[in-house]
Amino acid sequence: GSARPSATPTTAASATAIDVFAAASLTGASTAATTALAASAGVRATYNFGGSNTLVTQILQGAPADVFASADRANMGRLVAAGLVETPVTFARNRLEIAVAPGNPKHIAGPADLARRGVNVVMEAPGVPAGDYARALFGSEHLGVRPVSLETDVKSALAKVTSGEADATVVYATDVAAAGAATSGVPIAPALQPDITYPIAVVKATRHRAAAEAFVRSAVSGAVQRDLEAAGFLPPR
Amino acid sequence: MPAAVPAVLAAAGVVFVGLPLVGLLERVSWSSLGSELSAHDAYVALRLSLETSLGALAVAVAFGLPLAWVLARRTFPGRALVRALVVLPMVLPPVVGGIALLYAFGRRGLAGQLLYDLTGWRLVFNTSGAVLAEAFVSMPFLVVTAEAAFRSMDRRAEEAAATLGAGPAYRFWRVTLPAVAPALGAGAALTWARALGEFGATITFAGNLPGVTQTSPLLIYLDIESGHETTALALSLVLLLVSLGVLVGLRQRWLGNP
Amino acid sequence: MPAAVPAVLAAAGVVFVGLPLVGLLERVSWSSLGSELSAHDAYVALRLSLETSLGALAVAVAFGLPLAWVLARRTFPGRALVRALVVLPMVLPPVVGGIALLYAFGRRGLAGQLLYDLTGWRLVFNTSGAVLAEAFVSMPFLVVTAEAAFRSMDRRAEEAAATLGAGPAYRFWRVTLPAVAPALGAGAALTWARALGEFGATITFAGNLPGVTQTSPLLIYLDIESGHETTALALSLVLLLVSLGVLVGLRQRWLGNP
Amino acid sequence: MSLSADVDLRIGGLRLRAELDVGDDAAVAVVGPNGAGKTTLLRALAGLTPLDAGRVVIGGAVVDDPRAGVRVPTEERRVGVVFQEPRLFDHLTSLQNVAFGLRARGASRTEARAGAAGWLERVGLAHVAGLRPRQLSGGQAQRVALARTLATEPAVLLLDEPLASVDATARADLRHLLRQELRRYPGSRLIVTHDPVEAAALADRLVVLEDGRVTQQGPLSEVTARPRSAWVAEMVGLNLLEGTASGRSVVAGAGAVVSTATSLTGPVFVAFRPNAVTLHRRAPEGSARNVWEGRVSELHPAGDRARVRFEGPVALVAEVTAGAVADLALADGGRVWASVKATDVEVYPA
Amino acid sequence: MSLSADVDLRIGGLRLRAELDVGDDAAVAVVGPNGAGKTTLLRALAGLTPLDAGRVVIGGAVVDDPRAGVRVPTEERRVGVVFQEPRLFDHLTSLQNVAFGLRARGASRTEARAGAAGWLERVGLAHVAGLRPRQLSGGQAQRVALARTLATEPAVLLLDEPLASVDATARADLRHLLRQELRRYPGSRLIVTHDPVEAAALADRLVVLEDGRVTQQGPLSEVTARPRSAWVAEMVGLNLLEGTASGRSVVAGAGAVVSTATSLTGPVFVAFRPNAVTLHRRAPEGSARNVWEGRVSELHPAGDRARVRFEGPVALVAEVTAGAVADLALADGGRVWASVKATDVEVYPA
Ligand SMILES: Nc1ncnc2c1ncn2[C@@H]1O[C@H](COP(=O)(O)OP(=O)(O)OP(=O)(O)O)[C@@H](O)[C@H]1O
Ligand SMILES: Nc1ncnc2c1ncn2[C@@H]1O[C@H](COP(=O)(O)OP(=O)(O)OP(=O)(O)O)[C@@H](O)[C@H]1O
Ligand SMILES: [Mg+2]
Ligand SMILES: [Mg+2]
C-alpha cells in the first residue's frame, strides 16, 4: 500500500489545495508528483482518478477541477475545443511493450509472434488508446493477430495475462513496470513505437489559478520528471 | 401518515429515479438513433445480452431455487452463515467479483483448472463465461426473493397434498411451485434485470469479444470511453425499453395480483 | 423433489458462490494484510463507505418506503409503469446511471442547475453526491421488498386500529411498521449491501476524491488500476467481512423468524 | 347514541341492500346464513367498506352518504368493533393492546396504562397483562379484544360473532361477560351472529339478513314464534311450510293439506314445533287432523330426545323421546306416519 | 382397517399423552375444549406432527415409532384427512382438486378425471366441477374437500371439525352427507369435534381429550349419561358435582349435602339434568330432599324454555318453562330456591 497515491497533506496548513483530475493510468506517476510538488510549489493536490472520458464528461458538466491530466490527446482535445482549458503541455510520454506470463513460456520475442497459432492474445477494444496503437502497429506490419478478447482498458488486459488466461497483450511499459513479478515485458522496437503523449492543462474555471499553474509547471520540472522516469515514463520531447 | 405525506414523498422518489432517465432521453440524438442502432455491433450485443441474461437466469434458478428451498425449509448448522454468504456477491464490487471468479473458474483457478484438464473446456473468453459472471452477480436476488416466498407461503396446502398421497417431488411441482409462482416471477424479473445490466464482473472474467462476450453494457461502456456518448445513450435507451417492456409485461404476476 | 436432489443442487449453488470467495481468501497476502489495511486511505475509504452507504439507505428509506406504500396500497393510472420505472436503475449499467445522474443533478443538469442557482449547493464531487449515486442504484431493492411486505401483510390489524380511533399516521407507525419490520429489515440489508458495493455510478457522478467521494470500491478499483492487486483484495476482504458481520447479525430479523 | 343506516353496496358477488335502525341504548342481533352479508353490513357501518349509495347516521350525525360526498373515516366515527377473530396486535402485550385505543385518542401514557389495567381487571384478565397475544387462549384473546374496544368508549358498539372462535365452555363464560358489559354499555349495540342462543342472550330485537336483504325483523319473541323463511325456522327449531289458506285449511308446497285452528285466506306460513309432531308405525286413528305418510331420512339422538327427519308430502323434523325411538323401532329409511294437531299449528300471513 | 396409537409429544405449551384404539370399521369422536390437543392428535396420527415417543399402528403395520426409528411419511400412510378448513388447491378447479390424489397415486389423467367426476357427482357438486375454490361457498368447498379425501380410498379416515366453518343450515345437509359417506366407508374413522350433536350423528364412541389427556372414553350413551368432567357435563347439558359419598348422601364441593337414591361410598360424581331442577320463590315444602337457597346469576330464553344459572351452595343450571319465568318473576340477581328430587340424581364413582 505504500506506493498508493495519497491525499495525505504533507505541507503546512497554508498550502493551497487543488483538485487534479487525472487519468487512472497515471496513478503510478502521481505519487512522485505529489511528493515533489509539496516540496517545491507549496501546493497540496487531491486527485480525482477516472477514465479520461469520464473526467472530460465531468468537467463538461461543471465539475470543480483545477487541473486536468489526460492519458491521450483526443480527450484533452475535447476540452480545448469546448474552451474549458488553457493550452495543454505534454509532461510525459510512454511506449508500448508486450506483456507475457512470467518467464515468457511461449517464447514471444516480438509482435510477429503474437500472430502465431496457439498464442492467446488479448487486446484493448477500439477506442481504447493502447488498443488503437497496437492495432496500428499490427496493421503496418501486416500481422494477422486474432485477439480472443478486446478489453476495456489496459489493466484488465494485463490481468488476463497475469491470471494465466491469455499468453500476451500489448500494454504500456509503465504498466509492465507496475505489475512487478506478475508479468514480464518484451520490448518493441523503437521504430515501431507510436507517439504516446500525456497532456496536462489548467482548467479555466479554477479558483486557484496560481496554484494550478504552479502544479502544471512543476509537472515538467526536474524533480517530477525524475520520479516519472522511475515509474517507466519517458520525458516529453 | 397524513394522506398527503406519503404521496409527496413517493412522488419525490419517482422524480429522483425518473429525472436521470429523462436526462438520458433528452441527450439521445433522435435523428441518428436509427443508424446507430442498426449498426451490426449494437444488434449483436443486444442479442447476446438477451441470451446471456436468460442463461444466467436459468443458472440462478437451477441452483438458487433449491438453495432458497433448503434455506427456507431445512434447519442445519451454519444456515445463517450460508444465507449471508449467498448475498455477498451483491456487496462485492463487480470487478473484484470478476477477479474472484478468475481465481475460481479461470484456467488456473481452483475449479477451472480441473475443468480444463478434464474436459479442455474454458469458461473465460467464452459466452458461457459471460453467463457465469452474470449468474454470480444476479443469483442472490433469486435466492432472497424465493426464500422469502417459500418461507411465507401457507404450508397447509402442502400438508393436504401429503395426506392425499403426494410425495415430496409431486408436492413441490404441483402445489408449492404454483403457490409461490407470483413471488418467483417477481424475483426472476429482478434477477434477470440485474443480469442484463451486469458489466464489471463480465468484462473482468469473460472478456469482451463482439458476438462472444460483448454484451450491451460492455459495448455501452466502450462507446462512452471512446467518446461515442450518443451511441452509448441510444443503446442504453434500447436496453431500458426492452427491460421496461418485460417488467411491465410481468406486471400482473408482479408480487402477486396488483 | 426426492430429498437429495434439492440438497445437492443447493450445495452446488453454495459452491458456485463460495468458491470465488475462497479464491479471494487464498490470494490475499495475509502477512502484509495488517500494514495494507492500516494505511490511512484504506481506513478513510472504509469509513466513508459506511457513512455514504448508510446515508444512501436513509435516502432510499425516506423516499422508497412511501413509494412502496403508495404502490402497494393505492391504485392510480400508470401504477404498473411507475413500478417498472423504479426498478430500471437495476438494469442500467451503473456507468450510464452515473451519466444520467450528471444530466439530472450535475451542476448543468435538469435539477442540479436549479439547485445550484438557488442555493449554491453542488452534489457532484461532494459526499452528498456519492450518497445520491448509491441511493439511486440501491433504492429499487428497498422499494421492491417493502412493496411486497406491505402487499402481503395482514391488513386486519390496521382495520382494528382504525376502529380504535387510530388515524392513518398513528396506524402506520404503531401497527403497519411493526408488522412489516422483519421484511423491511431484510430489504434494508439488501439495499445497504448494494449501496456498499456501488462503484460505476459513484465514480462517474461523484468523482473519486479521497475522503470526499472515494469509497472502498473506488479505492479498490484504483488499487487494481495501479497494479496493487493484493491491496485491492485485502480491502475487498474487509468489505466482505464487514457486510457479512452485519448480515449475520441481522439473521434473526432476516425474512422474519428463521 | 342511536344508529340508523340505509346501506346499498356491491362487493364480490354480493349485493347488500339493508335498512336498519338501532335506537339509543338498544341491542339488535343480526342473524343470517353464511355469506348473507352480515359482516359486510357491519363493515359498512364502521366505514371499513364503502357504500355505493344510502347513508349511515350515528347519533344524529351523517357519517356516510356517498351521494352527498360525505365519508367520515373509521377512526372518527367512534364505532367500537369486536371482530370475529380477536385481531390483537401481535407485537404488543395484553395491556398495551387495551391501552392502544386510549393512546390513539390522545391519552397520556400513564392515563392509558391505568385505564387499560382497569379494563383488564374488569374482564378478569389482570393476570395476563404482560403476555403477548400468542400466549393467550382463544377465549382470553377475545376478552382482551372486548376490553380493548370498550375502553375507547365508542358511541356505537358493533360485534361480529364475538363467540364464534371460542369453545363451548369458554363460550358460556364469555357470553356471561358480554351480557354484563352490554348491559352496562350506554349506546346502541349491534351483534352479528348465526347462533340463536347468542342472539337471545345478547339482544332484544332480531334482524334477519339473507342473501343481502333483510327478510324479517322484530322483537326476539315474535321472530322466534313466527319465522318467515326456511333459514329462520331452522335456526329457531321450528318446522315451516309455505302455502295458500282458505279458511281453516292450507294447501302447502307439494299439495299436502294442513288443517289449522285459525281461519285465514291467501298466502300464509304454517309453523309448528318438532315436539308437536307424533310419529306412528301405522296410520293413526284419533283427533289429529294432519296425518302424512313418509320415510325417516335421518335420525340422531340429542340428549334424552331424538330428532327425526321425515320426508313425505311435506318434509319436517320431529322430536321424539329416546323411548319412542325404541318403541317404534325407528330407523333411517323406515316407513312411518307423522301427525300434528291443528291446535299445535301456528298460521300467519306470508 | 384398524388404528391403534399411543401418542406422546410436546408442542408449544402442550403435552399430549393419549392412547387410542379405533377398531376396524368403527367410528370414534374425539371431543374436548379449545387447545386440548385434538388437532395435534390427529396430525400426529397422519404423520404431520412427529411423536416424541409411543407408536402408531395402522392396519397392523407400525407407521410411527420414534424409539425404533420408524417414521413412515404421511403420503405413504394411506390416511385420509379432512381438515377444519377445506384447504383446497387454489390454482385447481374442483374437479382437478378431487383428481389430485388419484393422480398423485399414479392414476392416468383420464382415469383420475373420471374418478373425480364420479365423486363430485356423489357429493352433489357435479355442477361446480369447473369452478375454482374461491368461487365456492364454504359448504361446497368442504364437500369438495371430503370428496377429494374419499376419492383416494384411505385406510383410515381422520376428520377435524369438518363442519366448523359451515353455517347452521348448510351444516345440517353436510352432516347428512357425512353420515351417509361414513356409513359406506369401510375403514376406521376418527372425527374431531367440539359439538355434541356432531359427535352423536357421526360416531358411536366418544374419546374426551382435555389438556392433552384422555379424561373419559366409552360408548356415546355412557359418556352422555355419566360425565366425568365439568367440560363433558357442560357439553352434554348436565349439572355435575364432585363429592364424597357415604351411603345415600354426598358431601359436594362447598359443603352442600346431596341426597341420592343410590348408595355408594367414597369419591363420586353427581349428575342431574337442568330440567330436573325446580325453582321456587319461597323455601319449598314437599318431597324434594335437595333444596338450596341462592341467586339467579344469568337467565336467557331458549325457544319455549329458559335456562337459568343459579348460584348458591352449589352452582347449577336450571331449565324452566317461559311460563315459570313469568310466574316466578325471575330476574338476574333475584333470590330463589332450587330443588332436585333424589331420584333425578345420578351418582357414580369418581
Ligand atoms: N372483500 C370482498 N371481496 C369479494 N367479495 C366479498 C368481499 N367481502 C364480502 N364479499 C362477498 O360478500 C359475501 C358475504 O360476505 P360476508 O362476510 O358479509 O358474509 P357473512 O354474512 O358475514 O357470512 P359469515 O356468516 O360466513 O361470516 C361473500 O360471500 C362474498 O361473496
Ligand atoms: N405448531 C405449534 N406451535 C406451537 N404450539 C402449538 C402448535 N400446535 C399446537 N400447539 C399447542 O397445542 C395446543 C393445542 O392445539 P390443538 O390445535 O391441537 O388444539 P385443539 O384441541 O385442536 O383446539 P381447537 O378446538 O381450538 O381446534 C395449542 O393451544 C398450542 O399451545
Ligand atoms: Mg361474517
Ligand atoms: Mg383443532
Side-chain angles (χ1 to χ4, degrees), chain D residues 39 84 160-161:
Chain D
T39 298
Q84 201 159 339
D160 191 4
E161 309 206 31

Side-chain angles (χ1 to χ4, degrees), chain D residues 219-306:
Chain D
L220 200 61
S221 56
E222 192 197 296
V223 176
T224 318
R226 300 186 150 199
R228 305 185 69 82
S229 76
W231 188 86
V232 178
E234 169 107 34
M235 175 187 80
V236 300
L238 290 184
N239 288 298
L240 182 71
L241 306 174
E242 222 173 327
T244 313
S246 43
R248 301 224 158 136
S249 101
V250 176
V251 179
V257 176
V258 185
S259 299
T260 63
T262 323
S263 178
L264 275 177
T265 311
V268 292
F269 284 115
V270 174
F272 51 93
R273 322 196 150 280
N275 60 14
V277 180
T278 317
L279 295 182
H280 318 263
R281 290 296 286 172
R282 248 162 287 190
E285 294 153 36
S287 70
R289 299 286 306 276
N290 299 308
V291 177
W292 304 289
E293 185 185 353
R295 300 178 319 106
V296 170
S297 70
E298 196 182 334
L299 184 154
H300 60 82
D304 57 344
R305 304 287 181 95

Side-chain angles (χ1 to χ4, degrees), chain E residues 192-222:
Chain E
V192 168
T193 174
H194 47 231
D195 175 356
V197 177
E198 202 172 307
L202 303 175
D204 22 61
R205 263 169 60 83
L206 271 189
V207 171
V208 181
L209 198 64
E210 290 180 76
D211 200 17
R213 304 257 162 187
V214 175
T215 52
Q216 187 169 4
Q217 59 177 307
L220 199 59
S221 57
E222 191 196 297

